[in-house]
Amino acid sequence: MADFSERKLKDTQMKASINQTLIESGEKERLKEMLRNKLIECGWRDQLKAYCKEVVRRKGLKHVTVDDLVSEITPKGRELVPDDVKKELLHRIRAFLAQQKELSSENIPY
Amino acid sequence: MAIEEGEAMPLDCAIIQEIYDNGNAQEQFEFDLDQALEAQRGIIIIEPAKLGDETARWITVGNCLHKTAVLAGVSCLATPVLIQNDVANFISIPMGTLSIICASIYGVSWQFDPCCKYQARGSVCHTCRRHQQRLHSCLHCVFFGCYNLGHIHDHFRLNKHFLAVDLSYGAVFCFACNDYIYDQDFETVVKEERLKASKFLGCNGWEFTPWEASRAEVSLLRRSPRRRRVTFNSTIGLRGLINLGNTCFMNCILQALTHTPLLRDFFLSDKHQCKRKEGRYQSKEDPKDQCLVCEMSKVFQEFYSGLRSVHIPYKLLHLVWTHARHLAGYEQQDAHEFFIAALDVLHRHCKGHNGTSGNNPNRCNCIIDQIFTGGLQSDVTCQVCKGVSITVDPFWDISLDLGPSGGQVTPTATHTPAPGSTPSAQPDFNDSNSSGSSTSSSSPQEIETGLMSPPGFEDVPHSLDDCLRRFTRPEYLGSSAKIKCNSCQSYQESTKQLTMKKLPLVACFHLKRFEHSSKLRKKISSFISFPHELDMTPYMSTHRRASGLRENVQSNRRHLSDNRYSLFAVVNHLGTLDHGHYTCYVRQHRDQWFKCDDAMITRATKQDVLQSEGYLLFYHKRILEYE
C-alpha cells in the first residue's frame, strides 16, 4: 500500500516537472496549437459546434449557461477525439521530452 | 518585503513589493499576498518598488559594465582622430580591448541573471497549486483560481470580486451574471495578444480563424435580406450549357471547373479583383482587353444563381477564341487541350491583376497556380557513377499512357524510346499554347515490346494505379540517348524517374486515349478503373526515396502528411478519333453525381461514374494544409 502511494506521489511530481518544462520552453503552447489545428482539420470542432447548437436549441437560449453546456458536451467531446490525433500528440510530447533529455541529462526523470 | 500600509492611501489598500532577490522570493511574495488577502484589502498594489540587495547589485554592476564598454569604445575610435601622433595608439588599443571585455562580461552575466528564470513561469491556482482545471485570474486583485474546482468561485464569495478572466482563452467571466461576457474592446485586445504570442512562439495557427463578418459585411447582409438555403436536394450549381456548335469540349471542362470546390469558393466569395477592368474600361469593344477571369466569375454567378434554365456561354467562348487562337472556329477540339489553354489564359489574366510579383514565373500565387500547380521531380541517374541530377518542373495535369509498355527498367532492353516521349506529364505550364497531348507524339511503340518486358510487369495498365505506377517507375533512357552527367562530366547512359515533389490541390489525370503515332492513329477504348478515393503517397518523391528505409520511417511519414484525394469530376469521350462527343460527370454536394450532356443534366450513381470510360479525371485533395 505504501508502495502504491509512494508511486502515486512520484507520478504527480513527475507530471508537475514535465508540465513545468513544457510551459517554460513554450512547447505547451505549440502543442496546443497543433492540437487545435488537428481538431479543426478532422472536423471535431464542427461536430462539437453542431452538437452545442443542438443542446442550446433543445434547452432554449435563455435557460442555458456555460456550465451546463460544458458539462453536457465534455463527455461527447472527449469521445469524439480521433485516436490518430491522440497518438500524434503523445508522439510529439515524447519526442520533445527525449530531445530535452538529450540537451541536459539532469533535466527530467523520464 | 513587508506590507506597507501607506497612510496617505485609502485604508483598504495594500502594497506588496515583488522582489526576486533570493530563492524563496516567490514564496515570500505569495505569503505577503495571502496576508493581504486575509486582511480583506480592497486594492492590492504590487510593485517592485525597492530593489532587493542582490538585484540592485546586479543592476549597478551591469550599468557600470555597460557604460564602460560604450565610453571605452568611443574613446578608442576618437583618439586616433583627435590626436594625430603615435601616442594615439597607446590609448586607442587598450581602450578597444577594455570595451570588448566589458561588453562580453555584460553579455555573459545577463545570461545568468536570476530575473531570467522568472520570465516563463506558469501560473498556478492559489488554492490548490495546480495549473489545469481552467485557470481564471481575478480582475480585482492578484488571485488565480481554478474554475472546474470552484476556487475562483470561492474567491468571489469571499471577496465579492465578480470579474475574472479565463487564462487560456481570454474570456471574461462575470459572477453577477454567472456567465461569460463579451466586450468588444476586450475581445480585440485578446485577439491581438493571442496573435502576438503565437508569432513569438513561432506558430501561426491563430492567423487562420473562422470567418467573422466585418462591419461592412454585416451591413451588406442586412441590405440584401434574400437568403437562399442550400438543402440536400437543391439543384443550385447545376445548369446545362448550350452547345454552340461542337463546343461540347468546352462545356464539359466548364462543368468540371464550376464544380471544383476551391475554385467555386474563390469566385463566390468575390475574391477576384480585376485591375484590367478598372484601368481600361473604355476600350470595352476590344475583346483582347477583357479578362477571362471576370467572365469565369460571371459564369459562376450564373451557375449558382439558382436558375434552372440552360446557360449560353457565348461570351466565354468568344473570349477563349480571342485569347487562345488555336481553339477558334467551329471544329471539334480536344477537351484536354482546351482545359490547359483555359488554365493558361486564366493564369495569365490573374497574374497581371492580383498584384503578384513577377520575379519567379514558376511560382505565382494566383488562384490557378494555388489550386492546379504541382511539382514533378525528375531524377536522372547516371548508370556509371550513380550520380543523380534532380530537376523539378511545374505541372497542371498528368498525362498517362495507356498503350503497351513503352519503357523498361532493365537496361538490357533493346528498343530505345526517345527521351522526350516518356509517359510524362509535359511541363504544360511553360508552353501550354502549343502542347496538349493530342499533338504530342507518343513513344514509338514496337510490337516486340510485349515479348521484351520482364515477367511481373503488367504490359497494359488496367487501373489508374497501374498508370501511375508506370508513370513513376525508373525508366532506362537507352544507349542512344546519352546524357551528360554532372558528377562524372561525361556522356553516359542513364535512367530517369518521375515522382511527385509537390502535389496540387486539384489533380487532373489525362488518360491518353488518342494515339497519334507514326504507324497508327486510333482511340484506345479499354476500360481503366479509377478509384473514388485515391492516395497519392506512393507516388511522392519523399516516399520513393524512403522506400529503401525501414517500414516504420515510412509509416511516420505517411502519418504526418495526408495525400488522399477524392474524385469530383470525370470527362468522357464518346465516339471515334475523328468525331465524337464529350460528356461530363460532376459531383454535387458531398456524394451526389450528375451527368452533364450539354444542355441535359441527369442524375447518376457513383457506379455509373466509376464504370465510365474516363478521359479526364479530376481529383481534389481531401485535407488542405496550412501554408
Side-chain angles (χ1 to χ4, degrees):
Chain A
M1 210 53 200
D3 191 38
F4 177 71
S5 61
E6 200 177 282
R7 247 178 65 191
K8 209 171 173 189
L9 186 72
K10 250 187 177 167
D11 262 12
T12 35
Q13 275 173 353
M14 195 187 309
K15 252 187 202 165
S17 93
I18 288 176
N19 188 57
Q20 196 61 34
T21 323
L22 287 175
I23 293 175
E24 279 174 8
S25 59
E27 184 68 11
K28 188 160 178 172
E29 287 303 313
R30 276 187 282 267
L31 287 172
K32 273 179 170 171
E33 178 74 30
M34 185 213 83
L35 183 63
R36 192 177 297 125
N37 286 343
K38 288 279 158 197
L39 288 177
I40 294 173
E41 274 168 22
C42 71
W44 178 87
R45 191 188 170 121
D46 290 337
Q47 271 175 301
L48 217 61
K49 211 175 192 172
Y51 185 64
C52 285
K53 277 184 185 164
E54 190 193 303
V55 171
V56 173
R57 206 171 293 139
R58 200 172 62 218
K59 293 197 165 180
L61 189 60
K62 288 273 178 288
H63 309 286
V64 74
T65 65
V66 173
D67 289 336
D68 294 345
L69 208 54
V70 167
S71 61
E72 190 126 355
I73 66 166
T74 304
K76 184 149 181 130
R78 277 176 210 257
E79 182 192 312
L80 284 174
V81 178
D83 283 348
D84 276 0
V85 174
K86 289 185 199 167
K87 256 185 227 153
E88 183 160 355
L89 188 63
L90 190 66
H91 177 80
R92 280 279 297 264
I93 295 174
R94 279 229 177 96
F96 172 75
L97 290 178
Q99 188 198 344
Q100 285 290 305
K101 206 183 159 197
E102 249 170 56
L103 285 178
S104 61
S105 50
E106 41 86 8
N107 210 338
I108 329 140
Y110 176 59
Chain B
M1 289 309 291
I3 303 167
E4 285 178 6
E5 285 177 47
E7 263 121 334
M9 297 275 180
L11 273 177
D12 63 342
C13 173
I15 300 174
I16 298 174
Q17 284 150 12
E18 195 173 14
I19 306 152
Y20 298 116
D21 53 356
N22 55 43
N24 300 328
Q26 183 77 20
E27 282 86 46
Q28 271 190 33
F29 166 67
E30 274 161 15
F31 174 74
D32 291 345
L33 194 66
D34 283 342
Q35 274 197 334
L37 291 171
E38 270 168 37
Q40 306 244 330
R41 305 280 171 200
I43 302 167
I44 297 177
I45 299 168
I46 297 178
E47 57 176 24
K50 280 185 207 155
L51 293 165
D53 287 346
E54 203 179 333
T55 320
R57 221 175 300 131
W58 269 110
I59 290 178
T60 321
V61 172
N63 265 337
C64 257
L65 286 170
H66 181 232
K67 277 177 192 153
T68 319
V70 172
L71 288 175
V74 168
S75 55
C76 159
L77 293 173
T79 38
V81 180
L82 296 175
I83 313 165
Q84 303 279 347
N85 57 36
D86 288 348
V87 189
N89 280 344
F90 292 104
I91 303 171
S92 171
I93 294 169
M95 279 299 175
T97 326
L98 182 65
S99 169
I100 292 167
I101 291 172
C102 287
S104 41
I105 292 175
Y106 181 68
V108 169
S109 57
W110 181 247
Q111 292 300 311
F112 293 100
D113 193 309
C115 297
C116 293
K117 284 186 201 162
Y118 294 98
Q119 282 177 354
R121 292 307 278 265
S123 16
V124 288
C125 171
H126 281 188
T127 311
C128 65
R129 316 240 126 252
R130 273 192 284 183
H131 53 84
Q132 300 124 327
Q133 316 288 351
R134 288 170 66 201
L135 210 54
H136 280 59
S137 166
C138 177
L139 285 180
H140 301 252
C141 67
V142 178
F143 181 83
F144 299 114
C146 14
Y147 187 92
N148 283 7
L149 303 177
H151 295 143
I152 192 80
H153 301 73
D154 295 344
H155 179 72
F156 158 68
R157 252 171 257 128
L158 272 173
N159 301 309
K160 300 281 170 266
H161 294 168
F162 57 87
L163 285 177
V165 62
D166 184 319
L167 283 182
S168 353
Y169 299 102
V172 180
F173 193 88
C174 172
F175 284 96
C177 324
N178 206 18
D179 205 348
Y180 285 94
I181 48 172
Y182 302 95
D183 177 70
Q184 195 148 28
D185 293 338
F186 206 88
E187 296 291 307
T188 325
V189 174
V190 167
K191 211 183 261 172
E192 276 168 16
E193 291 301 318
R194 195 179 273 162
L195 203 63
K196 232 189 273 170
S198 71
K199 275 213 185 105
F200 177 72
L201 287 167
C203 28
N204 52 1
W206 283 109
E207 285 172 40
F208 303 100
T209 44
W211 173 71
E212 277 171 33
S214 67
R215 210 160 280 175
E217 284 162 337
V218 169
S219 71
L220 192 70
L221 282 168
R222 286 224 181 87
R223 264 185 285 136
S224 47
R226 234 174 101 219
R227 301 278 183 275
R228 191 168 287 121
R229 196 182 170 80
V230 178
T231 52
F232 186 66
N233 52 6
S234 81
T235 55
I236 288 181
L238 289 174
R239 276 191 86 170
L241 291 166
I242 286 272
N243 192 330
L244 297 161
N246 288 336
T247 59
C248 53
F249 68 91
M250 179 179 84
N251 288 353
C252 67
I253 294 299
L254 214 49
Q255 291 285 5
L257 288 180
T258 44
H259 288 86
T260 305
L262 280 165
L263 210 55
R264 178 198 62 200
D265 293 351
F266 174 82
F267 280 112
L268 292 186
S269 53
D270 209 15
K271 289 277 189 218
H272 172 61
Q273 280 145 11
C274 194
K275 297 225 172 85
R276 194 175 276 235
K277 205 165 149 191
E278 291 162 16
R280 309 179 222 167
Y281 198 68
Q282 275 72 25
S283 56
K284 203 180 165 187
E285 314 82 50
D286 187 5
K288 270 228 174 320
D289 279 343
Q290 281 175 27
C291 171
L292 189 68
V293 193
C294 288
E295 192 51 43
M296 265 317 265
S297 182
K298 277 178 207 144
V299 169
F300 270 96
Q301 293 293 335
E302 283 291 338
F303 263 76
Y304 292 90
S305 66
L307 284 179
R308 302 178 68 171
S309 58
V310 179
H311 178 62
I312 309 164
Y314 65 94
K315 252 182 141 173
L316 190 89
L317 183 71
H318 184 223
L319 272 183
V320 170
W321 283 2
T322 16
H323 290 293
R325 284 257 162 233
H326 61 291
L327 293 173
Y330 289 101
E331 284 149 39
Q332 295 195 0
Q333 299 286 351
D334 181 31
H336 173 250
E337 202 173 332
F338 175 81
F339 172 67
I340 294 299
L343 284 193
D344 181 56
V345 177
L346 286 172
H347 164 71
R348 272 191 283 139
H349 286 187
C350 278
K351 201 154 64 175
H353 302 167
N354 285 359
T356 56
S357 63
N359 298 341
N360 186 357
N362 293 345
R363 193 74 203 114
C364 107
N365 55 359
C366 79
I367 187 67
I368 299 298
D369 264 354
Q370 277 180 20
I371 295 179
F372 293 98
T373 303
L376 193 67
Q377 176 174 327
S378 125
D379 298 347
V380 176
T381 313
C382 170
Q383 288 300 292
V384 175
C385 68
K386 299 292 170 203
V388 185
S389 82
I390 296 171
T391 46
V392 178
D393 289 312
F395 70 90
W396 273 339
D397 67 324
I398 298 162
S399 294
L400 298 165
D401 259 348
L402 301 182
S405 191
Q408 255 128 39
V409 207
T410 41
T412 48
T414 47
H415 81 285
T416 52
S421 66
T422 55
S424 80
Q426 296 126 357
D428 275 322
F429 190 93
N430 297 324
D431 52 349
S432 44
N433 284 331
S434 57
S435 77
S437 67
S438 58
T439 54
S440 76
S441 60
S442 281
S443 38
Q445 306 292 333
E446 290 184 17
I447 307 141
E448 297 85 20
T449 45
L451 301 169
M452 287 301 205
S453 62
F457 245 119
E458 66 277 27
D459 201 21
V460 177
H462 295 289
S463 67
L464 184 62
D465 272 318
D466 286 351
C467 293
L468 282 169
R469 224 171 293 139
R470 190 158 106 173
F471 182 67
T472 54
R473 80 182 178 202
E475 182 198 15
Y476 177 59
L477 290 178
S479 50
S480 67
K482 285 185 178 170
I483 289 173
K484 190 178 182 191
C485 170
N486 278 335
S487 48
C488 56
Q489 296 296 330
S490 59
Y491 286 88
Q492 296 297 344
E493 293 178 18
S494 42
T495 59
K496 174 176 167 182
Q497 185 176 22
L498 296 168
T499 44
M500 303 288 155
K501 176 79 180 167
K502 177 184 168 286
L503 289 170
L505 301 182
V506 168
C508 168
F509 297 107
H510 166 228
L511 304 178
K512 288 191 183 174
R513 292 200 177 275
F514 304 112
E515 204 174 297
H516 303 260
S517 67
S518 49
K519 279 179 195 161
L520 68 168
R521 289 159 48 88
K522 62 164 184 178
K523 184 185 170 191
I524 303 168
S525 300
S526 58
F527 174 70
I528 303 288
S529 70
F530 48 91
H532 185 238
E533 265 192 23
L534 176 71
D535 190 357
M536 288 291 281
T537 313
Y539 315 112
M540 296 285 291
S541 309
T542 45
H543 179 85
R544 281 284 146 134
R545 212 173 301 133
S547 57
L549 301 172
R550 262 186 236 142
E551 186 59 35
N552 58 356
V553 178
Q554 276 182 39
S555 63
N556 274 347
R557 278 252 170 80
R558 199 170 306 150
H559 193 70
L560 290 177
S561 62
D562 193 316
N563 301 316
R564 283 175 301 158
Y565 280 76
S566 296
L567 188 70
F568 73 91
V570 177
V571 171
N572 279 305
H573 181 261
L574 313 164
T576 63
L577 192 67
D578 299 317
H579 37 83
H581 183 55
Y582 284 110
T583 60
C584 181
Y585 287 108
V586 291
R587 198 190 63 193
Q588 172 85 337
H589 300 307
R590 195 177 284 264
D591 49 3
Q592 297 179 44
W593 285 90
F594 292 90
K595 184 182 184 181
C596 306
D597 183 352
D598 286 338
M600 274 222 303
I601 293 184
T602 46
R603 194 176 274 278
T605 64
K606 200 160 103 184
Q607 270 63 43
D608 294 341
V609 179
L610 295 182
Q611 291 301 313
S612 68
E613 196 179 79
Y615 175 53
L616 297 173
L617 312 172
F618 293 88
Y619 285 86
H620 68 73
K621 214 160 182 295
R622 280 170 64 86
I623 288 176
L624 305 178
E625 269 123 25
Y626 292 107
E627 278 185 346

